[in-house]
């Protein structure tokens, strides 16, 4: 008898950072739960390199090659009149045909993928991490080349057409209901969890940590910010805060890692302008296996991003006991487990950096971080139970004869 088949779709490369890491966590949970529920799961990825990365974690996957015809259908799906033509011709996109031929009954997008637009017959589950392109449309990366308009189309389809919408915060559910008239009972909240690489066995060995820090010519005690070089990541406020502290006689080392989608040149110009070249160490993209050591060697995580309401690095810092400095705008995620600051005020960040250096505060933050992780672990378990209930119902509606 055919089992209900979930096709998990992973299109992110490893170097995007948090989105890829959270996708891994979601895939691992789905794979393990499906075994207990009698479901079949296949991971499809559009990037050949991901097959080896997943295999290293014990996850088998299939490479799904997408060609020009796939992309043509995707382009046409942004045009409203094409819906009527597709309906009249009863034509499925090649992307959907490939999944259907593989026996997939439902597609699970681990990100807010625009490929949900081309699904004509297959139902889908989709993940929505944020709605920041509408929260902060002033940033180039969410506005240029019709990014805003295209995202709005994708988010609207995802929020209104998906069988299940997975978010990482209750605030996101409220936002999607308000902006896109999403049905609240279709939403499941599953908060972020630390990357599998940060908590992976063996990453806490002191000798291994020393070797990784030595590889990057680092000494423990730096400020750490793992983020791609986007404007919204707000690296500039950290530089301004460091300049204020330097003028007050305090010097701090800032270590950055992450790929460069285009804003690194402007950041380097600011480093030169503020004469902070000897205080800023840019590692570029680093392997995920090195993240644990970089977090543990840090005096604090300084997360200055404008985008939220949740982010992955604070959870990873809490997992290894590193203090967190975080925007007060995202207090709902941080609770009392971070020193909060105004992300538009360098003086506020400078004060937070000073405060996190106090021994008593560091001890308090370490304890609060563990408690915050325990809180989210409970929320994650409940979210997984809700998702499991949705999948059982969806399976019954597809194959009622198996009961």
């Amino acid at each position: 008898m055919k089992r209900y088949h979930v096709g998990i779709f992973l299109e992110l490369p490893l170097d995007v950072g948090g989105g890829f890491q959270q996708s891994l966590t979601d895939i691992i949970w789905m794979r393990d739960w499906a075994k207990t529920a009698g479901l079949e799961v296949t991971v499809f990825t559009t990037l050949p390199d991901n097959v080896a990365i997943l295999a290293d974690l014990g996850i088998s996957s299939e490479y799904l090659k997408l060609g020009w015809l796939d992309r043509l259908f995707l382009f046409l799906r942004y045009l409203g009149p094409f819906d009527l033509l597709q309906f009249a011709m009863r034509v499925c996109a090649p992307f959907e045909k490939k999944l259907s031929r593989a026996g997939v009954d439902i597609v699970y997008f681990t990100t807010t993928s625009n490929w949900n637009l081309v699904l004509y017959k297959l139902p889908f589950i989709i993940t929505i991490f944020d709605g920041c392109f509408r929260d902060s449309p002033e940033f180039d990366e969410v506005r240029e080349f019709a990014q805003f308009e295209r995202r709005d189309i994708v988010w609207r389809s995802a929020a209104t057409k998906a069988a299940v919408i997975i978010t990482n915060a209750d605030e996101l559910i409220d936002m999607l209901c308000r902006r896109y008239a999403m049905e609240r009972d279709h939403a499941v909240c599953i908060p972020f969890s630390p990357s599998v690489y940060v908590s992976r066995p063996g990453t806490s060995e002191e000798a291994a940590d020393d070797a990784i820090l030595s590889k990057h010519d680092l000494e423990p005690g730096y400020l750490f910010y793992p983020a791609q070089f986007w404007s919204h990541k707000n690296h500039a406020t950290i530089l301004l805060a460091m300049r204020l502290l330097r003028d007050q006689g305090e010097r701090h080392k800032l270590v950055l890692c992450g790929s460069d989608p285009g804003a690194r040149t402007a950041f380097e110009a600011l480093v030169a302008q503020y004469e902070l070249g000897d205080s800023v160490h840019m590692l570029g993209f680093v392997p995920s296996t090195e993240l644990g050591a970089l977090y543990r060697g840090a005096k604090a995580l300084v997360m200055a991003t404008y985008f939220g309401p949740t982010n992955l690095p604070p959870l990873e810092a809490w997992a290894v006991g590193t203090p967190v400095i975080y925007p007060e705008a995202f207090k709902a995620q941080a609770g009392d487990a971070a020193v909060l600051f105004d992300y538009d005020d360098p003086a506020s960040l400078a004060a937070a950096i000073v405060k996190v250096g106090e021994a008593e505060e560091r001890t308090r933050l370490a304890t609060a971080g563990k408690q915050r992780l325990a809180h989210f672990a409970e929320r994650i378990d409940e979210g997984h139970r809700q998702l499991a209930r949705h999948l059982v119902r969806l399976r019954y509606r597809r194959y009622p004869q198996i009961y």
Side-chain angles (χ1 to χ4, degrees), residues 82-91 120:
F82 183 70
D83 290 339
L84 298 177
L85 180 61
Q86 187 175 11
F87 171 75
M89 297 179 66
R90 297 293 197 271
V91 176
Y120 182 54

Side-chain angles (χ1 to χ4, degrees), residues 2 22 87 110 120 209 219 231 270 329 375 391:
K2 187 182 186 306
Q22 189 59 32
F87 171 75
T110 59
Y120 182 54
D209 283 4
E219 294 290 336
S231 297
L270 285 177
H375 164 75
L391 281 165

Side-chain angles (χ1 to χ4, degrees), residues 40-57:
E40 183 178 356
V41 171
T42 303
V43 179
F44 298 94
T45 179
T46 57
L47 301 171
D49 291 347
N50 283 348
V51 175
I53 294 169
L54 292 169
D56 184 52
L57 293 167

